[in-house]
């Protein structure tokens, strides 16, 4: 078992909730420290309350546990960030700068800070968006991710800090509830379907977006972090692809399991955000550098989501 000391910031979020068990299996229960602003509901491992906007608090945790790797997963997402852009910018950027600087000062070996397809904007090619596309994001979340990518590359070039990153597509999972992202319709829809409800979608039926199932997103993260440093050619953030589909296509996939399921389409402000993003992603650089390849397509993901969510709602559904 690898002897590292891993710090996960934002451990209660969508990625953190699913990533923690894998990290603890890989590194050992006593070598993975979860942190967040609130206590977890069910996690039984090492946990510290941490506000990552406060550098002294972050420094204290890094020192006490002799941290060797940091996974910084805390951020205000796209749709939620638009409700208060200045707050979202300040939180997203202050935590990133604190993580990078504390990691530099305390010689942390590796840092993972994810980016997002939100980093792309209207001038990036919509289909097969390349690794080196022009970045002109339409949201404060996307702007903060572009800044994060540039700061990460700066810390690597100037200080030699081993910062690694993935531009996540919309991540779909059953482990946690939606967290305020524009792609989160593709999580909410499954929760409604397994309860026997119809779904009201805030995007139009033909809105094509890149998505990835959580298992693939986690595997990509761990494979990237395990790759030899010499293989890492991208120090901003790697493009990552899983699958692309529309709300109408997702609805049809669910109807294979629930034939009476219906989606109604009522686009809101999130439609403009989605329209500014890529429709398909070219992740050939990730494939070349560290062998990335997704395992889940839409039918397989749909089967997994329904299988895992049905027991959660079974007592409720049986009483209706």
């Amino acid at each position: 078992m690898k002897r590292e000391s891993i710090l996960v910031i934002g451990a209660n979020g969508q990625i953190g909730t699913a990533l923690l068990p894998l990290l603890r299996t890989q590194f050992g229960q006593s070598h993975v420290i979860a942190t967040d602003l609130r206590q977890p509901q069910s996690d039984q491992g090492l946990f510290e309350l941490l506000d990552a906007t406060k550098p002294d608090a972050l420094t204290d945790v890094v020192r006490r546990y002799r941290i060797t790797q940091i996974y910084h997963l805390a951020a205000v997402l796209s749709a939620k960030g638009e409700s208060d852009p200045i707050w979202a910018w300040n939180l997203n950027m202050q935590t990133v700068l604190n993580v990078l600087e504390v990691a530099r000062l305390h010689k942390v070996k590796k840092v993972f800070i994810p980016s997002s397809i939100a980093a792309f904007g209207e001038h990036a090619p919509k289909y097969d968006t390349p690794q080196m596309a022009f970045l002109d994001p339409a949201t404060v979340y996307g702007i903060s991710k572009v800044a994060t990518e540039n700061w990460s590359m700066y810390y690597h070039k100037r200080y030699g800090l081993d910062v690694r990153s993935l531009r996540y597509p919309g991540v779909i999972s059953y482990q946690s509830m939606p967290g305020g992202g524009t792609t989160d319709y593709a999580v909410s829809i499954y929760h409604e379907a397994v309860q026997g409800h119809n779904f009201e979608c805030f995007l139009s039926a033909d809105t094509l977006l890149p998505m990835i199932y959580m298992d693939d997103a986690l595997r990509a993260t761990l494979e990237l972090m395990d790759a030899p440093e010499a293989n890492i050619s991208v120090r901003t953030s790697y493009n990552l692809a899983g699958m692309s589909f529309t709300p109408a296509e997702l609805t049809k996939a669910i109807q294979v399991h629930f034939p009476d399921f219906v989606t109604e389409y009522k686009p809101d402000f999130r439609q403009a955000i989605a329209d500014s993003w890529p429709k398909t992603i070219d992740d050939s650089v990730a494939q070349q550098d560290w062998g990335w390849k997704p395992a889940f397509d839409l039918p397989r993901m749909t089967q997994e989501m329904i299988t895992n969510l049905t027991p959660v709602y079974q007592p409720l559904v049986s009483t209706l």
Side-chain angles (χ1 to χ4, degrees):
M1 190 173 287
K2 300 179 182 179
R3 289 301 163 192
E4 301 275 355
S5 187
I6 314 297
L7 175 62
V8 180
I9 301 170
N12 294 346
Q14 183 190 27
I15 301 292
T17 300
L19 183 61
L20 274 175
L22 298 182
L23 290 173
R24 285 172 172 156
T25 297
Q26 183 174 354
F27 296 102
Q29 285 280 345
S30 62
H31 292 268
V32 179
I33 298 87
T35 67
D36 211 306
L37 290 170
R38 293 172 296 278
Q39 290 284 348
Q41 293 183 351
S42 60
D43 184 62
Q44 301 301 314
L46 287 172
F47 181 86
E48 295 270 350
L49 289 173
L50 175 66
D51 181 350
T53 65
K54 299 178 179 178
D56 290 345
L58 177 58
T59 297
D60 175 65
V61 172
V62 168
R63 281 177 172 171
R64 279 193 289 118
Y65 289 99
R66 299 180 181 180
I67 296 300
T68 62
Q69 294 187 30
I70 297 176
Y71 289 75
H72 177 45
L73 307 176
V76 181
L77 300 182
S78 58
K80 188 174 181 181
E82 293 305 290
S83 66
D84 193 340
I86 301 303
W87 164 73
W89 168 262
N90 287 337
L91 189 149
N92 287 353
M93 293 315 305
Q94 190 59 63
T95 57
V96 164
L97 291 172
N98 287 346
V99 166
L100 291 172
E101 186 65 1
V102 170
R104 176 184 75 85
L105 292 173
H106 295 277
K107 303 186 186 308
V108 174
K109 292 195 298 186
K110 291 181 188 178
V111 178
F112 178 77
I113 308 178
S115 186
S116 165
I117 59 168
F120 298 110
E122 63 177 325
H123 291 99
K126 289 292 186 284
Y127 291 93
D128 293 328
T129 307
Q131 177 65 50
M132 298 304 294
F134 184 71
L135 304 178
D136 58 342
T139 64
V140 67
Y141 174 62
I143 294 168
S144 71
K145 284 304 181 184
V146 174
T148 295
E149 290 187 19
N150 288 330
W151 274 111
S152 297
M153 183 169 62
Y154 177 85
Y155 266 76
H156 175 71
K157 286 186 173 181
R158 178 160 184 181
Y159 304 115
L161 185 63
D162 189 355
V163 190
R164 306 184 183 195
S165 181
L166 297 169
R167 288 175 182 148
Y168 286 135
V171 179
I172 301 174
S173 70
Y174 61 86
Q175 290 95 333
S176 59
M177 297 298 291
T182 300
T183 58
D184 278 348
Y185 88 86
V187 179
S188 299
I189 193 171
Y190 287 109
H191 285 266
E192 297 304 313
V194 299
Q195 295 180 77
H197 301 163
N198 292 333
F199 181 64
E200 184 176 296
C201 186
F202 53 74
L203 299 180
S204 64
D206 60 352
T207 305
L208 183 66
L209 288 172
M211 304 284 187
I212 193 168
Y213 186 52
M214 177 64 82
D215 287 15
D216 274 344
L218 298 178
R219 182 168 53 82
T221 302
L222 296 177
E223 287 178 357
L224 173 64
M225 291 295 278
D226 286 342
E229 187 171 359
N231 289 21
I232 307 302
S233 69
V234 176
R235 290 297 180 170
T236 49
S237 189
Y238 278 97
N239 276 8
L240 185 71
M243 66 195 91
S244 289
F245 54 79
T246 67
E249 290 169 336
L250 177 51
T251 296
K252 288 182 180 179
I254 292 173
Q255 287 170 340
V256 171
H257 304 269
F258 301 104
D260 295 331
F261 178 71
V262 174
T263 297
E264 296 180 3
Y265 300 97
K266 295 184 179 181
D268 63 15
F269 73 96
R270 286 165 284 196
Q271 184 66 52
I273 296 174
D275 289 343
S276 73
W277 289 351
K279 298 179 184 299
T280 62
I281 299 290
D282 175 3
D283 61 0
S284 56
V285 179
Q287 296 174 33
Q288 294 165 8
D289 284 4
W290 42 277
W292 164 245
K293 185 179 181 180
F296 284 82
D297 59 11
L298 180 54
R300 184 181 177 191
M301 179 184 72
T302 297
Q303 178 66 67
E304 288 283 314
M305 288 292 289
I306 291 172
T307 298
N308 285 283
L309 284 177
T310 297
V312 175
Y313 293 105
Q314 199 62 50
L316 176 63
V317 172
S318 64
T319 61
L320 294 179

